[in-house]
């Protein structure tokens, strides 16, 4: 049986009498090409099935070995355990470690140990740069890049998800290992089609927050084979920290506006959810947009969310906290870009948002690293996908109930340093939905919102 890679799938061609590709599980007839095809990610199991059946195999797929000129950091105890656990699961699976604990180091050690051509998949151009730098620091050979204007495929290549969608059908047989960074995006931001078009039998997913019951992640990468929570690594892989929730009181005028908008929204949302309790938030939004009353309810929802994002009490508390920690590297997290820009204008601190071009973001992070500036404010950009220089203080001005985002945010200040003790402040408006968000972040393994966001 001849096996070759073509357009993201494996083509099967009988070479000897008695070989019938249609008997192979998963094989489908391609009328255009007049050939039997199997998804590329079935390669490993296909070879095993054919070998067990005594079929002679002519396998034309290939990936290169790479030399051993690696200089990798010494693994901490939990990084070593994670790598060993992944290897014990036939080099497939997801490793879940907190932000700041060194997931990338585990992947670098896996690449060095397997010594096969590797494709690293990342969600953003920023991570494309960071991975290329990390790999170059450990391996003295050029690193391929797909994304952000680069189109070079080498034995070790880093690609954005978006570029991999285009390139996988051409290069899917060139790699023996695929590393998926931020693996909780598989099936959403990272389309499963990418992984289906890759032959690579070895697959390593990295995440700080693995999704629950993700069948597509299990199918295309593997189960979570190793996981540690932030509190388990305090003192070893993460700095100790103090978490303080600061209650915020609305002014009389703010409270009146909040109650009015919340009541107007609830008068529509409440009956809708009681009638269809399994309806998702996005489904409610689609339905609400169809009527005038629904649109008014959504307008009120946006209004009270905006009010909670940055009321006078939060403004005062933030001003006091920044004064208290003047000169210390501080990250301020907001619920939206509008609040981030408002804080930047009022308190003369540097904003980091997706609307700011990459060179300006890089310059801001470099100034933060050097100590030239001590405060950065962001809504979501710093949550995931940017290698933020060491910081000591995190102030969460606003957010959602998502524990995933919470873990990513606090991880930005937990990188260990001798004598370091990080501080995390959460500002929560009393007697509002925001208090519930904080409670869900702290008590749920992966919070989902039962009511309105």
């Amino acid at each position: 049986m001849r096996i070759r890679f073509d357009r993201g799938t494996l083509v099967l061609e009988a070479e000897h009498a008695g070989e019938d590709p249609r008997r192979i599980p998963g094989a489908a007839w391609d009328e255009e090409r007049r050939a039997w095809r199997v998804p590329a990610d079935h390669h490993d199991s296909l070879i095993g099935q054919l070998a067990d059946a005594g079929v002679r195999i002519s396998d034309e797929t290939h990936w290169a070995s790479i030399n051993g000129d690696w200089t990798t950091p010494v693994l901490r105890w939990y990084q070593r355990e994670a790598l060993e656990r992944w290897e014990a699961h036939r080099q497939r699976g997801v490793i879940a470690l907190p932000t700041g604990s060194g997931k990338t180091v585990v992947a670098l050690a896996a690449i060095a140990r397997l010594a096969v051509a590797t494709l690293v998949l990342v969600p953003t151009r920023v991570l494309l740069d960071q991975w290329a730098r990390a790999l170059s620091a450990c391996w003295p050979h050029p690193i391929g890049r797909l994304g952000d204007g680069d189109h070079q495929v080498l034995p070790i290549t880093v690609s954005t998800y978006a570029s991999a969608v285009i390139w996988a059908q051409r290069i899917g047989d060139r790699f023996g290992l695929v590393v998926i960074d931020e693996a909780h995006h598989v099936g959403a931001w990272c389309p499963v089609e990418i992984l289906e078009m890759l032959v690579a039998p070895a697959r390593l997913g990295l995440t700080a927050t693995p999704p629950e019951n993700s069948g597509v992640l299990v199918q295309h990468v593997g189960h979570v084979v190793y996981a540690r929570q932030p509190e388990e690594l305090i003192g070893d892989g993460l700095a100790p920290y103090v978490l303080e929730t600061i209650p915020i009181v609305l002014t009389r005028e703010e409270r009146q506006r909040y109650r009015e908008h919340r009541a107007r929204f609830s008068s529509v949302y409440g009956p809708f959810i009681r009638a269809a309790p399994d309806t998702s938030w996005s489904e409610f939004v689609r339905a609400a947009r169809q009527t005038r009353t629904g649109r008014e309810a959504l307008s009120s929802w946006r209004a009270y969310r905006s009010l909670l994002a940055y009321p006078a009490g939060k403004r005062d508390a933030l001003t006091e906290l920044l004064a208290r920690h003047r000169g210390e590297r501080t990250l301020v997290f907001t619920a939206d870009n509008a609040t981030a820009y408002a804080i930047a204008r009022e308190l003369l601190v540097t904003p980091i948002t997706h609307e700011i071009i990459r060179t300006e973001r890089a310059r801001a992070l470099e100034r933060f690293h050097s100590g030239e500036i001590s405060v950065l404010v962001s809504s979501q950009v710093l949550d995931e996908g940017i290698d933020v220089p060491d910081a000591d203080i995190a102030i969460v001005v606003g957010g959602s109930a998502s524990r995933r985002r919470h873990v990513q945010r606090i991880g930005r200040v937990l990188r260990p340093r001798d004598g370091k003790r990080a501080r995390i402040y959460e500002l929560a408006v009393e007697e509002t939905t925001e208090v519930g968000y904080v409670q869900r972040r702290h008590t749920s393994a992966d919070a989902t919102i039962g009511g309105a966001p």
Side-chain angles (χ1 to χ4, degrees):
M1 181 76 65
R2 181 188 179 204
I3 303 172
R4 59 184 177 85
F5 181 83
D6 178 66
R7 295 191 302 174
T9 63
L10 300 176
V11 175
L12 310 178
E13 298 175 352
E15 292 187 306
H16 305 282
E19 295 178 349
D20 186 358
R22 78 185 66 195
R23 297 170 58 185
I24 297 173
W29 178 251
D30 182 341
E31 185 63 34
E32 178 185 354
R33 293 283 179 167
R34 307 292 297 172
W36 289 95
R37 292 182 179 272
V38 172
D41 64 346
H42 289 198
H43 179 272
D44 208 29
S45 60
L46 174 63
I47 295 297
Q49 291 169 357
L50 294 178
D52 290 344
V55 176
R56 288 176 289 180
I57 304 169
S58 175
D59 186 4
E60 297 183 5
T61 63
H62 64 279
W63 56 80
S65 297
I66 55 178
N67 65 45
D69 297 336
W70 284 88
T71 305
T72 54
V74 176
L75 299 182
R76 297 190 178 105
W77 63 268
Y78 60 88
Q79 294 168 329
R80 185 171 58 255
E81 283 185 356
L83 180 59
E84 292 171 352
R85 193 74 58 81
W86 175 72
E87 290 180 318
H89 284 78
R90 299 179 63 246
Q91 298 164 348
R92 289 181 70 96
V94 177
I95 291 174
L97 291 173
T99 301
S101 61
K103 296 184 294 296
T104 301
V105 173
V106 180
L108 294 173
I111 298 171
R113 190 166 295 188
L114 264 63
V116 297
T118 300
L119 177 66
V120 179
L121 301 176
V122 300
T124 66
R125 293 175 296 177
V126 174
L127 277 172
L128 180 77
D129 291 334
Q130 290 174 193
W131 270 94
R133 289 197 301 270
L135 287 161
S136 294
C138 297
W139 197 55
H141 302 282
I143 303 299
R145 295 166 59 105
L146 294 174
D148 201 16
D150 294 316
H151 307 94
Q152 186 175 28
V153 180
L154 294 172
I156 297 182
T157 295
V158 186
S159 173
T160 62
Y161 298 162
S163 293
V165 169
I166 300 169
W167 280 84
Q169 61 181 318
R170 286 178 270 177
I171 62 172
D173 66 333
R174 299 192 192 182
F175 304 99
L177 167 64
V178 57
V179 176
I180 305 95
D181 199 9
E182 309 296 352
H184 51 271
H185 290 309
V186 169
W189 193 354
C190 180
V192 296
E193 292 92 321
I194 298 173
L195 300 174
E196 290 175 344
M197 292 189 287
L198 299 177
V199 168
R203 299 182 175 217
L204 172 59
L206 304 174
T207 181
T209 52
E212 294 182 350
N213 304 318
S214 176
V216 293
L217 185 59
V218 171
Q219 179 182 354
H220 296 287
V221 182
H223 293 275
V224 175
V225 297
Y226 190 83
R228 292 285 181 181
Q229 298 299 318
E231 54 269 20
E232 297 180 84
L233 303 183
I234 298 300
D236 290 322
L238 297 174
Y241 68 95
V242 175
L243 175 61
E244 179 180 350
T245 300
I246 298 177
I248 302 298
V249 178
L250 295 176
T251 66
R252 179 178 299 178
E253 187 272 335
E254 288 172 339
R255 184 164 297 281
Q256 180 64 29
R257 283 195 290 130
Y258 171 79
R259 288 173 175 169
E260 289 175 356
H261 287 300
R262 178 68 183 175
R264 185 177 297 121
F265 167 75
S266 297
S267 68
V268 175
Y269 182 73
F272 186 92
I273 288 299
R274 285 193 292 271
D278 295 330
T279 302
S280 68
W281 171 251
S282 60
E283 289 171 332
F284 167 74
V285 171
R286 283 196 295 271
R289 286 173 176 166
Q290 304 305 311
T291 68
R292 177 181 175 182
T293 303
R295 290 191 293 272
E296 289 175 348
L298 290 176
S299 178
S300 287
W301 173 77
R302 287 189 291 268
Y304 81 71
R305 291 272 291 179
S306 177
L307 189 153
L308 294 180
Y310 197 46
K314 285 189 177 181
R315 182 178 290 104
D316 294 341
L318 177 60
T319 302
E320 191 277 328
L321 288 172
L322 292 179
R324 184 191 309 177
H325 295 287
R326 190 181 307 278
E328 298 181 68
R329 288 194 182 92
T330 302
L331 301 177
V332 179
F333 296 100
T334 68
D336 51 64
N337 283 347
T339 303
Y341 289 134
I343 291 171
R345 288 192 303 269
E346 293 171 10
L347 302 180
L348 302 180
V349 299
T350 302
I352 297 286
T353 75
H354 71 276
E355 297 170 343
I356 296 173
I357 63 174
R358 182 179 58 168
T359 54
E360 291 185 11
R361 289 202 305 260
R363 172 60 179 156
L365 291 171
E366 178 57 36
R367 293 172 66 205
F368 186 76
H369 177 72
S370 69
E372 183 180 345
I373 58 176
S374 60
V375 181
L376 295 175
V377 59
S378 174
S379 58
Q380 296 182 26
V381 171
L382 296 182
D383 292 357
E384 174 182 293
I386 290 184
D387 188 12
V388 181
D390 189 27
D392 301 298
I393 311 296
I395 305 173
V396 182
V397 174
S400 70
S402 170
R403 177 166 171 80
R404 173 175 296 142
R405 180 163 294 172
H406 178 69
V407 168
Q408 290 167 338
R409 285 180 165 186
I410 69 172
R412 297 303 178 190
V413 296
L414 296 185
R415 287 180 178 163
R417 188 180 68 244
D418 289 344
K420 176 178 177 177
R421 187 175 182 82
R423 297 196 69 91
I424 301 159
Y425 299 96
E426 293 183 301
L427 311 186
V429 180
E430 291 187 317
E431 300 180 24
T432 69
T433 56
E434 194 165 57
V435 175
Y437 294 168
V438 173
Q439 293 172 342
R440 291 188 188 105
R441 289 198 295 261
H442 294 176
T443 61
S444 172
D446 189 4
T448 56
I449 302 174

